[in-house]
C-alpha cells in the first residue's frame, strides 16, 4: 500500500508517498503559512497534498502540537501563529477522500528512529530542536503517547526559572531558550529580527553574540538530555530538527553533556532519517509496525 505521509511543523509542511518498504518518493515541501488561520492552513495542506493524493490509499500525519483524537491542540500556540485548535484528521479526510490518522511529530520521529536503531534496548528518546523543542519517548519498546497525547513534550520541562516566558504560559521552558524560535528571540542588536538559520550562518563566520546564543541552546539541550537519562535510563538519545542537525550543533551538546557526572552520560546521535523521520514514523505507525 502507498501512504501519503505529511509532516506539519511550525516552519514547514512536508509530504511524500511512502511504500511498505519505507521508500520515499515525490517529497514536497512548502512553508507553513505566515497567517496561520485555520483557512490558511487548510489551503496550504490542499496545495501540498493534491499532486500526491491520487496515488495513495491512506494518509498518515505527523504534526506539531498535542494530537488528541485526531485534533491538533497547540501547547505553544505561538509556534503556529496563535492557532490553538485544528481538526487535522477530519480536514485531511475531506481533502483526500482517504482514511487518515495523526500523531505528534516528535513521537512519530521517535518511532522511526527507534526502528532504525535496530537495538535490543527498550528505551530510546528522540528530541527535535526545530521551531520548538519536541520529544518522543520509547520505553520497553513501546512509543509513549500518553492518555491525552502529551507524553514526551520535553521542550516544556524547566530549564531556567529566571528564563524567558514560553508560549505555553510557563516561565523558563527548554523550548523558550533552545528552540529555533527561542534562539531568534534572544538575538539583540544587529541580530535582532533574524531567524535561527541566519543566526547560525553568522556564528559560522565568527559573530560572538550568535555563537553565545547557540552555545546557550546547546547547553540547555545537554541539561535536558541529562534529565532524560535520569528519568528513563535510555541508552541512546537521537536528535533531529533543522537546529539539532545544523553543522556543529550536536558536537557542542555532546561536549556540554561530557562535563556532567558520568551517570548522566548517554550516546547522542543525529537522526538517521534526518529531516524525514516524522514522515517515516507516521507511515510506520499507520502500517502497524
Ligand atoms: P519545523 O519546525 O517546521 O519542523 P525545521 O526542523 O526546519 O522545521 O526547524 C525550523 C527552525 O530551524 C527555524 O527556526 C529555522 O530558522 C531553523 N533552521 C532551518 N534551517 C537551518 C539550518 N540550516 N541551520 C540552523 N537552523 C536552521
Ligand atoms: C512544541 C509543540 C510540540 C511539538 C514541538 C516541536 C505546538 C504547536 N507544538 O513544543 O507539540 O512537538 O513544538 O514542533 O504546541 P516543531 O514545529 O518544532 O517541529
Ligand atoms: Zn513551554
Amino acid at each position: 500500500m502507498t501512504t501519503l505521509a505529511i509532516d506539519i511543523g511550525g516552519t514547514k509542511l512536508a509530504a511524500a508517498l511512502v511504500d511498505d518498504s519505507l521508500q520515499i518518493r515525490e517529497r514536497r515541501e512548502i512553508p507553513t503559512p505566515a497567517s496561520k488561520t485555520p483557512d490558511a492552513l487548510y489551503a496550504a495542506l490542499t496545495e501540498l497534498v493534491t499532486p500526491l493524493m491520487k496515488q495513495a490509499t491512506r494518509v498518515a500525519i505527523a504534526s506539531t502540537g498535542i494530537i488528541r483524537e485526531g485534533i491538533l491542540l497547540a501547547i505553544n500556540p505561538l509556534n503556529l501563529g496563535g492557532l490553538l485548535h485544528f481538526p487535522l484528521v477530519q480536514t485531511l479526510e475531506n481533502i483526500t477522500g482517504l482514511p487518515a490518522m495523526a500523531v505528534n511529530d516528535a513521537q512519530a520521529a521517535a518511532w522511526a528512529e527507534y526502528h532504525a536503531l535496530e537495538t535490543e534496548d527498550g528505551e530510546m528518546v528522540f528530541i527535535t530542536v526545530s521551531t520548538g523543542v519536541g520529544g518522543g519517548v520509547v520505553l520497553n519498546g513501546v512509543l509513549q503517547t500518553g492518555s491525552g497525547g502529551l507524553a514526551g513534550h520535553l521542550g516544556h520541562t524547566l530549564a531556567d526559572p529566571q528564563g524567558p516566558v514560553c508560549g505555553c504560559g510557563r516561565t523558563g521552558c527548554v523550548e523558550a531558550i533552545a528552540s529555533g524560535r527561542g534562539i531568534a528571540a534572544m538575538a539583540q542588536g544587529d541580530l535582532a529580527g533574524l531567524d535561527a538559520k541566519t543566526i547560525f550562518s553568522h556564528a559560522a563566520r565568527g559573530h560572538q553574540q550568535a555563537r553565545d546564543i547557540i552555545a546557550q541552546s546547546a547547553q540547555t539541550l545537554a541539561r535536558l538530555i541529562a534529565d532524560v537519562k535520569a528519568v528513563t535510563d535510555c541508552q541512546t538519545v537521537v536528535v533531529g530538527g533543522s537546529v539539532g542537525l545544523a553543522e556543529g550543533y550536536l558536537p557542542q551538546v555532546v561536549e556540554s553533556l561530557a562535563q556532567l557526572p558520568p551517570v548522566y552520560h548517554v550516546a547522542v546521535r543525529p537522526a538517521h532519517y534526518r529531516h524525514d523521520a516524522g514522515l517515516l514514523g507516521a507511515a510506520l505507525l499507520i502500517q502497524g509496525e
Side-chain angles (χ1 to χ4, degrees):
M1 284 214 259
T2 300
T3 301
L4 169 56
I6 305 172
D7 188 349
I8 300 175
T11 301
K12 63 182 196 305
L13 310 176
L17 297 170
V18 181
D19 67 22
D20 289 337
S21 55
L22 231 56
Q23 293 306 306
I24 286 194
R25 53 192 174 90
E26 298 189 40
R27 190 186 195 284
R28 292 164 53 79
E29 198 173 296
I30 60 174
T32 309
S35 85
K36 293 154 184 158
T37 59
D39 285 351
L41 186 55
Y42 181 91
L45 288 168
T46 305
E47 178 196 334
L48 179 72
V49 304
T50 299
L52 305 178
M53 65 196 195
K54 286 189 185 61
Q55 300 169 68
T57 50
R58 57 191 176 192
V59 180
I61 309 156
S63 175
T64 190
I66 299 166
I67 311 301
R68 190 178 300 159
E69 291 166 7
I71 294 168
L72 183 176
L73 306 158
I75 181 169
N76 184 352
L78 292 182
N79 290 1
L80 281 171
L83 190 65
L84 254 172
H85 181 284
F86 187 80
L88 257 186
V89 164
Q90 181 79 66
T91 299
L92 266 302
E93 288 188 342
N94 291 348
I95 294 171
T96 63
L98 300 170
M101 63 76 83
V103 64
N104 169 266
D105 54 357
Q107 292 169 356
W111 194 234
E113 293 297 326
Y114 182 67
H115 268 247
L117 274 182
E118 292 182 0
T119 171
E120 300 284 298
D121 300 337
E123 283 69 45
M124 188 223 68
V125 174
F126 172 83
I127 304 174
T128 175
V129 190
S130 36
T131 311
V133 173
V137 177
V138 176
L139 295 179
N140 209 6
V142 179
L143 176 68
Q144 305 297 308
T145 55
S147 54
L150 185 62
H153 273 78
L154 302 170
H156 303 281
T157 56
L158 185 65
D160 176 5
Q162 264 78 51
V165 177
C166 181
C168 73
R170 190 180 190 191
T171 298
C173 289
V174 168
E175 178 162 302
I177 299 167
S179 68
R181 278 185 64 90
I183 288 170
M186 265 184 286
Q188 292 175 351
D190 59 333
L191 297 184
L194 301 179
D195 66 9
K197 185 176 182 177
T198 314
I199 293 169
F200 267 83
S201 51
H202 278 81
R205 292 197 295 272
H207 191 295
Q208 195 53 49
Q209 188 202 156
R211 294 169 72 114
D212 291 346
I213 294 171
I214 291 163
Q216 202 182 339
S217 164
Q219 187 180 57
T220 300
L221 201 74
R223 291 183 182 139
L224 171 63
I225 291 170
D227 289 354
V228 157
K229 173 70 182 172
V231 173
T232 66
D233 197 13
C234 58
Q235 302 303 304
T236 313
V237 172
V238 176
V239 177
S242 288
V243 172
L245 295 171
E247 190 163 345
Y249 183 80
L250 262 198
Q252 287 190 59
V253 174
V254 169
E255 195 185 317
S256 212
L257 186 63
Q259 286 162 23
L260 295 175
V263 68
Y264 299 110
H265 294 178
V266 55
V268 179
R269 300 192 199 290
H272 173 81
Y273 292 121
R274 310 293 296 177
H275 301 277
D276 293 332
L279 290 172
L280 291 172
L284 271 171
L285 286 164
I286 210 170
Q287 285 173 22
E289 286 174 25

